[in-house]
Amino acid sequence: MPTPLELRHLRTLAVLMEAPSLSAAAERLHLTQSALSHQLKLLEGVYELELLERRTQPVRLTPAGLRLAQLGLQVMDAVQAAERDLANMAGGSAGPLRIAVECHTCFDWLMPAMDAFRPHWPEVELDIVSGFHADPVGLVVSDRAELAITSEVDESAGIEFVPLFQYPMVAVMANDHRLTSRAHLTPKDFAGETLIHYPVPDGLLDIMRVLGPAGVNPPRRTSELTVAILQLVASRRGIAVLPSWSVQPYVDRGYVSTRPVGKRGLMSRLHAAHQAGLSQRPYVRAFVETLRDTSFQLLPGLARLSP
């Protein structure tokens, strides 16, 4: 008999089994929350059963929803296995995949994504181009890497950019810093403060998108290591602006304090960049999807990034 279930429904329910909220699940699925709710209501109308306990936090599936979510996990695993088999038949399951990164904190989510990818695509020669690269896309253009993780988009070089996600950047300061009295920081709050950051050009510093137009250029101090930056901040040597996920464990332990930059916050973006046409290789598509899925599972505060 025909069934109303589609792969997208099963994937939605599988994600809901792990997500802390409807909004978090919608971000991971690259849907609006209303579109996700519409999927659920459609299935609930067909089966005449509630699939979600809507009065609980975190979100919780009903027994009926859990049953379909378990089916979703099984089906998605089977689909991925079939796609790998088809890739083998087409000779597209093996090849080099060297990755270049421009962000010092990328390894917080890149390494788990690589670990999740390897068992499913063992013939792919997965590797990281060692070191931080101010121009990772240039390595792709010169065939020294197949994939670059970058915040900048420039399609003039025949490179294809695939959106990964956007995430909040927060100002980090000592717990007794005078600016902890503010609900959020403005450009003038940085004037006279030492800005501690990674040794990268200003064009790669998200905070300069805010300070530059305001004419604020504070004194600088740099460090290669996140933990060293946090130590300097805790010692009242200056303030930093870092991804929220990279500092949250230290905030939870009471080591430093954070504040948003601006009333709406400061968001940074990341894309995967590769040579045009490389997305036709199944393992490349699978790796980019694994990057996105793993990040939404592990990192708080991520938001969908549209093309």
Side-chain angles (χ1 to χ4, degrees), residues 22 180 207:
L22 278 177
T180 57
I207 185 59

Side-chain angles (χ1 to χ4, degrees), residues 112-236:
M114 294 173 69
D115 290 341
F117 176 82
R118 282 193 184 96
H120 299 294
W121 298 88
E123 297 181 1
V124 174
E125 301 168 26
L126 192 61
D127 197 8
I128 296 177
V129 180
S130 62
F132 167 85
H133 301 279
D135 181 23
V137 177
L139 297 181
V140 174
V141 173
S142 61
D143 292 325
R144 288 180 288 166
E146 281 71 44
L147 192 75
I149 308 299
T150 179
S151 58
E152 300 294 321
V153 175
D154 180 7
E155 298 176 346
S156 61
I159 299 297
E160 184 177 345
F161 291 83
V162 182
L164 291 176
F165 50 80
Q166 56 183 335
Y167 57 91
M169 302 287 292
V170 293
V172 191
M173 62 202 74
N175 290 324
D176 59 354
H177 196 286
R178 64 180 180 85
L179 292 176
T180 57
S181 63
R182 307 292 179 86
H184 64 270
L185 270 58
T186 63
K188 68 178 182 180
D189 291 324
F190 288 84
E193 296 286 341
T194 297
L195 179 63
I196 306 172
H197 59 81
Y198 301 112
V200 300
D202 279 6
L204 295 180
L205 292 175
D206 293 286
I207 185 59
M208 293 311 297
R209 290 192 279 113
V210 176
L211 301 186
V216 176
N217 189 13
R220 312 292 186 89
R221 182 166 180 171
T222 64
S223 176
E224 288 276 2
L225 301 175
T226 302
V227 66
I229 291 177
L230 292 173
Q231 187 177 46
L232 290 169
V233 166
S235 301
R236 296 180 294 280

Side-chain angles (χ1 to χ4, degrees), residues 43-297:
L43 294 177
E44 287 175 335
V46 170
Y47 294 112
E48 299 182 350
L49 288 168
E50 287 192 354
L51 302 179
L52 194 70
E53 295 181 8
R54 292 175 169 81
R55 294 169 294 280
T56 62
Q57 284 293 340
V59 66
R60 185 184 306 161
L61 294 171
T62 65
L66 186 59
R67 178 65 185 90
L68 289 179
Q70 291 168 340
L71 173 63
L73 291 175
Q74 295 169 359
V75 169
M76 296 312 297
D77 284 345
V79 168
Q80 291 173 4
E83 289 182 334
R84 289 193 297 273
D85 290 343
L86 293 175
N88 282 327
M89 295 175 191
S93 65
L97 188 52
R98 296 165 295 174
I99 305 162
V101 299
E102 76 170 25
C103 57
H104 285 74
T105 55
C106 283
F107 296 100
D108 291 345
W109 50 269
L110 179 57
M111 300 304 288
M114 294 173 69
D115 290 341
F117 176 82
R118 282 193 184 96
H120 299 294
W121 298 88
E123 297 181 1
V124 174
E125 301 168 26
L126 192 61
D127 197 8
I128 296 177
V129 180
S130 62
F132 167 85
H133 301 279
D135 181 23
V137 177
L139 297 181
V140 174
V141 173
S142 61
D143 292 325
R144 288 180 288 166
E146 281 71 44
L147 192 75
I149 308 299
T150 179
S151 58
E152 300 294 321
V153 175
D154 180 7
E155 298 176 346
S156 61
I159 299 297
E160 184 177 345
F161 291 83
V162 182
L164 291 176
F165 50 80
Q166 56 183 335
Y167 57 91
M169 302 287 292
V170 293
V172 191
M173 62 202 74
N175 290 324
D176 59 354
H177 196 286
R178 64 180 180 85
L179 292 176
T180 57
S181 63
R182 307 292 179 86
H184 64 270
L185 270 58
T186 63
K188 68 178 182 180
D189 291 324
F190 288 84
E193 296 286 341
T194 297
L195 179 63
I196 306 172
H197 59 81
Y198 301 112
V200 300
D202 279 6
L204 295 180
L205 292 175
D206 293 286
I207 185 59
M208 293 311 297
R209 290 192 279 113
V210 176
L211 301 186
V216 176
N217 189 13
R220 312 292 186 89
R221 182 166 180 171
T222 64
S223 176
E224 288 276 2
L225 301 175
T226 302
V227 66
I229 291 177
L230 292 173
Q231 187 177 46
L232 290 169
V233 166
S235 301
R236 296 180 294 280
R237 303 295 180 87
I239 61 177
V241 178
L242 295 170
S244 59
W245 79 67
S246 68
V247 300
Q248 192 58 47
Y250 298 90
V251 174
D252 293 340
R253 296 202 302 266
Y255 190 64
V256 292
S257 297
T258 62
R259 293 293 183 273
V261 178
K263 289 183 179 180
R264 298 183 178 180
L266 174 63
M267 300 294 287
S268 187
R269 302 179 175 189
L270 283 179
H271 296 76
H274 55 70
Q275 292 280 4
L278 197 64
S279 59
Q280 300 303 313
R281 300 183 187 180
Y283 66 85
V284 175
R285 294 198 307 271
F287 183 72
V288 171
E289 188 63 26
T290 301
L291 275 181
R292 194 182 292 118
D293 282 350
T294 303
S295 301
F296 273 92
Q297 289 175 22

